[in-house]
């Protein structure tokens, strides 16, 4: 899931071929991915991530784990400029301790 987040962040490059052909929500594979992530969020699946995420406000989505929330924001293309920050990488012991 962390890799997928990295790929979705490629949208910032503003390459029309990448954004329209591969990373558009009109792409059927991206729609399938969105449904899977949404299902995981609906079922309150907890994902432990190596990414240290800082989220200023999840609004009504407080029950969703941080990684799934960030993926949903990036998948839908919502403008979250400044609201989501990847501030570092956690080591194995920090992830296991969560």
């Amino acid at each position: 899931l962390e890799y997928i987040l990295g790929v979705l962040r490629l949208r910032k490059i503003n390459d029309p071929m990448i954004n329209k052909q591969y990373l558009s929500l009109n792409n059927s594979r991206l729609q399938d991915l969105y449904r899977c992530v949404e299902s995981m969020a609906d079922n309150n699946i907890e994902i432990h991530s190596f990414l240290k995420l800082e989220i200023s406000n999840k609004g009504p989505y407080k029950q969703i784990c941080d990684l799934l929330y960030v993926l949903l924001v990036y998948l839908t293309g919502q403008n979250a400029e400044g609201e989501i920050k990847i501030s570092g990488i956690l080591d194995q012991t920090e992830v296991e301790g969560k």
Side-chain angles (χ1 to χ4, degrees):
L1 292 175
E2 293 156 335
Y3 175 78
I4 292 170
L5 178 60
V7 170
L8 291 172
R9 289 173 53 101
L10 288 174
R11 286 180 175 156
K12 288 187 175 189
I13 295 174
N14 289 325
D15 182 320
M17 184 187 80
I18 292 172
N19 289 342
K20 290 182 181 177
Q21 186 173 356
Y22 300 108
L23 298 179
S24 168
L25 270 180
N26 293 326
N27 181 307
S28 63
R29 290 184 179 141
L30 217 56
Q31 290 172 1
D32 291 341
L33 174 62
Y34 176 80
R35 280 190 288 276
C36 288
V37 173
E38 189 175 46
S39 175
M40 290 168 52
D42 288 344
N43 289 306
N44 294 320
I45 304 284
E46 184 68 28
I47 305 292
H48 299 284
S49 173
F50 285 101
L51 298 176
K52 186 174 181 182
L53 299 167
E54 294 179 14
I55 302 168
S56 63
N57 183 10
K58 286 186 185 178
Y61 304 103
K62 292 177 183 172
Q63 76 282 0
I64 298 173
C65 77
D66 289 349
L67 183 59
L68 291 179
Y69 173 77
V70 171
L71 278 168
L72 287 172
V73 168
Y74 274 85
L75 279 166
T76 59
Q78 294 176 2
N79 185 3
E81 193 74 31
E83 295 176 17
I84 297 172
K85 182 178 176 184
I86 299 173
S87 61
I89 298 174
L90 302 173
D91 66 25
Q92 185 72 29
T93 58
E94 290 175 299
V95 173
E96 291 171 354
K98 280 190 165 182

